[in-house]
Amino acid sequence: MDSKDGEGRPYLGPALSVQTDTGEFFAISCKPVGRGVVSYPCKAREMNRAMEQGVRTVRYDPDLGLEAYHFSGIIQIFPGHFHEYYTLGFLERGLQHTICRGIDCLSEAGDLLLFAPGDVHSCRPVDGRSLDYGGLNVPEETMARYVREITGEASLPRFREPLVRRSELTAPLRSLHRMVMEREGAFCKEETFLLLLSQVLDRCTAGGPTAAERWEARLTADLCAWLDDHCTGHVSLEELSRMAGRSKYSLIRAFTRERGITPYSYLMAARVGEAKRLLEAGTAPAEAALEAGFSDQSHLTNQFKRLIGLTPGQYAAIFRERGGGRE
């Protein structure tokens, strides 16, 4: 796999690991999710073969505060996962099947893909054919700053649909993508991004949430924050239900409707995230399993491999090659 970030910055996007021009590896920051989301089975051997193919190029742009990525010849299947940043993407070659927020999409060249932070999505190439695609990963703080420039309010947009077919906005997105990849000047990039984002806001964003939706969003956000902080300990559905002031079924339904995954799936993703941090710091897999809240190393390995695509040992080896934990 020939993946690179010309700036040597940590990659934010969907690859399992990314190699920089200097040969260093960085792990993904996307959060994988498990049950409750459609995912596509793939044998370990097939996944490893897929990961070895294709060219994955990433470039961080300090002028705009975002990154551009380009993947070529990719046949990897990405099961259900979500990111903590916005993604504006396009397909250059091939057909991609995507499920996002329960919406089933088939994208091709000319379509515009839009994912907001927390949008659960799975992606796979159709008929096993390789894909060429690219896009921009935009952190929330960058998005809020530019939305304020356009609207006067530092709000975070919500997209109506994850796919806009044959969009007129795909061309300016690809133009901006090229500018970032080729390190063009700040003036033209910022001008293009503002014009593009203003059109995205006008054409592709949803109206404001209802009072009930805002209440459910706050409730779910609070529960997610609590699960992030307490994922290494014992967590029960009874406890979550009591905290939310709702029945167990009502809680599961509201949480899943808001996040696209069940509370248990989120808990497993949080524990895998904690295990990743421990492994990056040099903790042995068996010890990392217990510290992250798993019953044993086998439980960690099963969840880790299902969500990340690597075993804990393989993941830890990436950081041993760098001589220790994350810098």
Side-chain angles (χ1 to χ4, degrees), residues 27-33 82 84 227-228 231-232 265-281 288 291-294 300 303-304 307-308 315 319 326:
I28 60 171
S29 63
C30 72
K31 286 190 176 181
V33 299
F82 62 92
E84 297 176 343
L227 287 170
D228 287 337
C231 65
T232 61
S265 295
Y266 190 94
L267 174 62
M268 290 299 102
R271 285 177 174 170
V272 167
E274 181 63 24
K276 284 170 59 180
R277 286 186 284 274
L278 292 167
L279 293 169
E280 291 164 15
E291 290 190 25
F294 291 99
L300 166 64
Q303 292 290 335
F304 203 96
L307 300 183
I308 302 298
Y315 186 83
F319 294 88
R326 187 185 298 275

Side-chain angles (χ1 to χ4, degrees), residues 280-298:
E280 291 164 15
T283 306
E287 184 180 351
L290 298 179
E291 290 190 25
F294 291 99
S295 56
D296 53 36
Q297 184 175 348
S298 176

Side-chain angles (χ1 to χ4, degrees), residues 146-257:
Y146 280 100
V147 169
R148 174 182 287 175
E149 286 281 347
I150 297 167
T151 68
E153 297 181 2
S155 59
L156 294 172
R158 300 165 65 240
F159 300 127
R160 286 195 301 269
E161 304 286 345
L163 174 68
V164 183
R165 299 191 181 280
R166 307 287 185 180
S167 175
E168 296 177 356
L169 302 181
T170 304
L173 172 60
R174 293 188 62 174
S175 178
L176 177 59
H177 179 270
R178 178 190 56 78
M179 293 178 190
V180 174
M181 298 300 283
E182 297 179 1
R183 295 189 176 95
E184 294 197 9
F187 192 152
C188 62
K189 289 184 298 189
E190 189 165 31
E191 180 179 80
T192 303
F193 185 45
L194 283 166
L195 292 173
L196 169 64
L197 184 56
S198 68
Q199 292 298 306
V200 170
L201 295 176
D202 285 343
R203 303 184 189 187
C204 306
T205 54
T210 65
E213 290 172 337
R214 287 195 298 270
W215 187 87
E216 283 197 355
R218 287 195 300 270
L219 171 64
T220 304
D222 290 343
L223 289 174
C224 287
W226 190 90
L227 287 170
D228 287 337
D229 291 340
H230 297 82
C231 65
T232 61
H234 175 73
V235 177
S236 69
L237 187 58
E238 179 72 32
E239 185 174 16
L240 294 178
S241 173
R242 187 168 57 252
M243 288 172 54
R246 304 181 70 159
S247 70
K248 295 176 183 178
Y249 173 73
S250 177
L251 165 65
I252 294 171
R253 185 177 180 183
F255 192 102
T256 305
R257 181 168 52 238

